[in-house]
Amino acid sequence: MQLDAKVPGGLLAEKWDRHRFDLRLVSPANRKKFDIIVVGTGLAGSSASATLAELGYNIKAFSLQDSPRRAHSIAAQGGINAAKNYSNDGDSIWRLFYDTIKGGDFRSREANVYRLAQLSNNIIDHCVAQGIPFARDYSGLLANRSFGGAQVSRTFYARGQTGQQLLVGAYSALMRQVAAGKVTLFSRREVMELVVINGQARGIVTRNMITGEIETHAADAVILATGGYGNVFFLSTNAMTSNVTAILRAYKKGAFFSNPCFIQIHPTCIPVHGTYQSKLTLMSESLRNDGRVWVPRNSSDTRLPHQIPEKDRDYFLENKYPAFGNLVPRDVASRNAKEQCDMGKGVGKTGLAVFLDFEDAIKRDGKEEISKKYGNLFQMYEKITGDNPYETPMMIYPAVHYTMGGLWVDYNLMTTVSGLFALGEANFSDHGANRLGASALMQGLADGYFIIPYTIGEYFAGTGLNKITDEHPAFKAAAQEVNSCINKLLSIKGTRTVDDFHRELGRVLWEYCGMERNERGLLKAQKLIQQLREEFWENVIVPGSERDFNQSLEKAGRVADFLEFGALMIVDALARKESCGCHFNEAYQTEENEAKRDDENFCHVAAWEYAGDGIKPLFHKEKLVFENVELTQRSYR
């Protein structure tokens, strides 16, 4: 089956403008007749809810947190990309488009990526108008810094708090609509099921996380903006509540899942320090602007870093990639850091770390200037590790950070279920096999502020929708199914904790479907996950009651879904017999040990259709056509 992405014809630079004109509209008087559910209140969800409500639609917004301000979007530190070219160093919409396509190793849609680059400038203007405190240079222009995978400075930032500041802007817009009565905000709700009636997404079933009550909500369309599934690895940089449940429910109701094995490993994370650690901390990629990555040349060198002279240091990224140096893309930097540690040149107690050194930058610019750029990040590092980065190098190691896979969506951001849309990290659309740094915030806000307000109108204008309430039998059946699953989890009374199962699942995935993969390891992981899943449903212990605030029950439901989803990741990884971007299969590599694509057989988006529990999912693909960019071996040397 060839999937129809509904990409408009015409010149690349004109596709979005032409498409916006061709989209059917809903008149202002009629918009108030439509109810929309938005699940998630991070950047994508809050911006979508606020904008759609401003247009006149009735919005129900659902948040896991007690406030949208606690969404995981606040964790984004380094910045947001845009092609303003304020630095006058040769940037353009085309260059941002090209860098994003190349950074994703030519595994994303040209039309989507070009639209993202176009809208990037609108995002900055909009956020400045909201009062976002972006850094500015002496002349008063917004300041820029560089990020990996680009040779221009295009990343706008607010120290190391960019995600938090952008979310405050979206939150303010959202709460304005809450006060106006156009958005009803449901906090501390977890989506447990998607309700599909006559092939159309018409509502959700949620659990009130405080009271345990199962609630049903009907609407004319559903938008999922629930973030990524990186916590399937147990240890990741994601917030502890980040999960796969909502999009997995959509997958099991007919929404195809694309490229689930495409996960991003971030090179700049604080290394694991203990067996029972449950969370990893990201240090912003922006640090690689001034920090130099190195290891001792001799694996037996145990001297303190300041005692090791220049001649005995290996600045491996600068040496191997002279054109980009320390600012190579995340997948390239991560694999090279792992390679150094595998060679025995890693540093720290575990040997699973490399140095990120600011000594030269401090000598060049002064401590005060470095503090202005990265002060809060340095404080965070010192608070966690006890080491002062002004005096000794940071130690970093790659960790799971972002997921490029997600629900398959067309150009209008609609899934294969009519009326179900996916925004931000919940969809697969813009980043291919590897996301460039500072592009997550860009995609989330583009989807929410500037794309979904147009495309959802096309759906309403062209679709017959009967009036449905949550009294419909489909809602009662879905709620009954949710209750049955909860009761089953509570009745097992086993001996292993939820975290114990989750930790083991994460270890299996990291070992066999993480930074490097091979067929033998993936097949082993497939068996191990199946065994683990079977044991989970026989031997997990979930204390407490369903009618209560019960975080053990919340975790259990999420881990049950992670176990099911982990099996889908393995199926996808086995099917992609090439290396590209973040997906590095050791059987497919160049002589320089870089990822080697197979454009003849795998220049496509993999899309998986649920076929039933325990049955291999059905494979579909969307062929990727490159009319404006030549497919070449990716090089950053």
Side-chain angles (χ1 to χ4, degrees):
M1 175 182 175
Q2 294 285 340
L3 291 168
D4 180 11
K6 296 183 173 61
V7 175
L11 297 175
L12 182 65
E14 299 174 0
K15 286 182 186 292
W16 176 235
D17 290 336
R18 182 195 300 255
H19 189 61
R20 282 192 303 165
F21 180 76
D22 290 340
L23 289 172
R24 286 168 287 189
L25 301 176
V26 178
S27 71
N30 284 335
R31 290 177 200 147
K32 61 178 176 286
K33 299 177 182 177
F34 292 101
D35 300 323
I36 302 172
I37 284 172
V38 180
V39 184
T41 53
L43 280 179
S46 286
S47 60
S49 293
T51 310
L52 291 168
E54 189 79 45
L55 286 170
Y57 295 107
N58 305 306
I59 308 299
K60 288 183 176 182
F62 293 82
S63 172
L64 272 178
Q65 317 296 341
D66 57 349
S67 166
R69 288 181 299 171
R70 294 185 183 275
H72 183 56
S73 297
I74 67 166
Q77 300 164 336
I80 177 171
N81 287 330
K84 286 288 193 182
N85 195 32
Y86 285 160
S87 301
N88 198 32
D89 56 359
D91 202 8
S92 64
I93 289 173
W94 181 268
R95 189 176 293 277
L96 175 54
F97 156 72
Y98 178 77
D99 286 347
T100 306
I101 287 282
K102 177 183 175 183
D105 217 350
F106 306 93
R107 289 295 176 262
S108 49
R109 270 190 219 130
E110 281 190 337
N112 282 64
V113 176
Y114 193 88
R115 176 175 65 183
L116 182 64
Q118 280 179 296
L119 293 174
S120 67
N121 293 337
N122 301 50
I123 294 168
I124 299 303
D125 292 341
H126 185 73
C127 292
V128 169
Q130 287 180 326
I132 305 303
F134 287 122
R136 293 180 180 266
D137 62 23
Y138 182 76
S139 68
L141 285 175
L142 299 183
N144 290 126
R145 55 190 177 200
S146 298
F147 258 57
Q151 291 180 303
V152 296
S153 294
R154 65 162 67 100
T155 304
F156 296 77
Y157 62 97
R159 296 190 77 184
Q161 305 169 4
T162 314
Q164 180 178 353
Q165 298 302 326
L166 292 172
L167 186 60
V168 167
Y171 169 76
S172 299
L174 171 64
M175 295 311 290
R176 177 176 180 272
Q177 296 303 320
V178 171
K182 295 302 294 181
V183 173
T184 304
L185 182 60
F186 296 86
S187 60
R188 304 296 285 166
R189 293 331 196 266
E190 183 159 25
V191 172
M192 306 298 288
E193 188 59 273
L194 174 73
V195 178
V196 177
I197 300 173
N198 297 327
Q200 298 169 329
R202 299 306 303 265
I204 57 174
V205 178
T206 64
R207 180 177 182 270
N208 185 316
M209 296 162 67
I210 302 299
T211 67
E213 184 180 357
I214 302 301
E215 304 167 341
T216 53
H217 301 271
D220 298 301
V222 177
I223 296 172
L224 298 181
T226 52
Y229 48 84
N231 277 347
V232 68
F233 286 85
F234 186 68
L235 287 177
S236 83
T237 66
N238 290 185
M240 296 296 287
T241 53
S242 297
N243 62 80
V244 76
T245 295
I247 55 176
L248 187 70
R249 292 289 180 275
Y251 162 70
K252 296 178 76 169
K253 285 298 179 76
F256 291 4
F257 208 113
S258 284
N259 302 336
C261 79
F262 277 0
I263 49 95
Q264 178 166 80
I265 309 295
H266 197 297
T268 319
C269 297
I270 297 178
V272 176
H273 64 257
T275 305
Y276 291 99
Q277 187 173 346
S278 59
K279 176 80 174 66
L280 294 176
T281 303
L282 170 71
M283 300 308 296
S284 169
E285 181 173 318
S286 63
L287 294 169
R288 287 196 278 145
N289 272 282
D290 291 297
R292 301 181 69 190
V293 180
W294 65 276
V295 292
R297 289 192 182 277
N298 189 334
S299 61
S300 61
D301 195 335
T302 58
R303 288 176 290 179
L304 295 173
H306 68 272
Q307 296 174 336
I308 302 176
E310 285 286 312
K311 65 182 180 65
D312 293 334
R313 298 181 179 187
D314 181 4
Y315 295 94
F316 55 93
L317 293 178
E318 297 174 30
N319 297 334
K320 192 172 180 180
Y321 305 99
F324 284 76
N326 294 301
L327 287 173
V328 292
R330 292 173 175 178
D331 60 320
V332 176
S334 295
R335 280 202 304 275
N336 278 272
K338 180 179 183 297
E339 182 181 48
Q340 295 297 320
C341 294
D342 289 346
M343 292 164 57
K345 295 164 70 175
V347 299
K349 293 180 180 179
T350 65
L352 296 176
V354 299
F355 288 128
L356 181 63
D357 196 340
F358 291 86
E359 182 181 11
D360 290 348
I362 292 171
K363 287 179 180 177
R364 181 187 69 236
D365 300 330
K367 180 179 177 180
E368 184 178 349
E369 187 63 28
I370 295 301
S371 178
K372 286 180 182 178
K373 291 182 180 178
Y374 313 114
N376 61 309
L377 297 173
F378 278 39
Q379 291 168 8
M380 182 169 68
Y381 182 87
E382 184 173 8
K383 184 172 289 188
I384 293 172
T385 67
D387 292 331
N388 184 347
Y390 293 107
E391 298 174 358
T392 187
M394 290 183 179
M395 286 190 286
I396 58 170
Y397 192 71
V400 171
H401 177 57
Y402 187 88
T403 54
M404 282 75 63
L407 295 181
W408 184 91
V409 293
D410 62 19
Y411 192 69
N412 293 327
L413 303 184
M414 189 159 75
T415 70
T416 49
V417 173
S418 183
L420 177 67
F421 297 82
L423 275 56
E425 196 177 354
N427 74 37
F428 86 98
S429 64
D430 293 349
H431 308 298
N434 175 64
R435 177 176 68 80
L436 290 186
S439 287
L441 303 182
M442 179 172 61
Q443 186 207 348
L445 292 180
D447 287 356
Y449 281 138
F450 297 108
I451 299 175
I452 194 64
Y454 287 95
T455 59
I456 203 167
E458 163 72 16
Y459 172 69
F460 288 144
T463 307
L465 291 167
N466 298 322
K467 190 65 179 175
I468 286 176
T469 71
D470 63 356
E471 294 299 316
H472 190 283
F475 284 90
K476 297 185 184 302
Q480 186 175 351
E481 189 174 335
V482 168
N483 277 315
S484 176
C485 182
I486 289 173
N487 291 333
K488 183 177 180 181
L489 284 169
L490 291 168
S491 68
I492 296 171
K493 308 294 185 185
T495 59
R496 287 186 67 179
T497 65
V498 172
D499 277 350
D500 195 29
F501 282 102
H502 194 181
R503 187 179 292 108
E504 185 170 343
L505 172 66
R507 182 190 60 77
V508 170
L509 287 173
W510 178 254
E511 182 73 22
Y512 302 112
C513 194
M515 293 178 68
E516 289 187 20
R517 308 152 190 194
N518 58 55
E519 186 172 8
R520 178 171 48 82
L522 289 168
L523 290 171
K524 181 177 180 180
Q526 198 169 46
K527 293 179 181 178
L528 290 173
I529 291 174
Q530 178 60 30
Q531 292 169 3
L532 193 62
R533 190 178 175 204
E534 290 173 359
E535 185 184 353
F536 176 89
W537 287 106
E538 294 173 357
N539 196 30
V540 72
I541 180 169
V542 184
S545 162
E546 75 278 13
R547 293 294 179 184
D548 201 356
F549 176 68
N550 189 341
Q551 290 187 306
S552 295
L553 178 59
E554 293 167 21
K555 283 184 182 180
R558 294 167 194 164
V559 171
D561 291 331
F562 279 142
L563 284 162
E564 184 172 359
F565 179 69
L568 179 62
M569 290 178 67
I570 301 297
V571 169
D572 185 48
L574 282 166
R576 189 167 287 275
K577 299 185 183 301
E578 65 166 355
S579 290
C580 57
C582 67
H583 175 103
F584 190 79
N585 190 317
E586 63 183 33
Y588 309 98
Q589 53 184 304
T590 67
E591 293 180 0
E592 295 82 19
N593 304 117
E594 303 289 358
K596 186 176 182 180
R597 299 192 318 270
D598 180 351
D599 292 331
E600 183 177 349
N601 297 303
F602 292 95
C603 192
H604 61 245
V605 175
W608 298 96
E609 178 184 5
Y610 181 68
D613 191 27
I615 302 173
K616 184 177 179 180
L618 303 176
F619 173 73
H620 306 278
K621 68 179 179 181
E622 176 197 340
K623 185 177 180 181
L624 293 171
V625 179
F626 291 90
E627 300 173 331
N628 302 276
V629 174
E630 181 183 357
L631 288 167
T632 59
Q633 174 62 39
R634 198 168 56 137
S635 175
Y636 292 93
R637 295 178 186 272

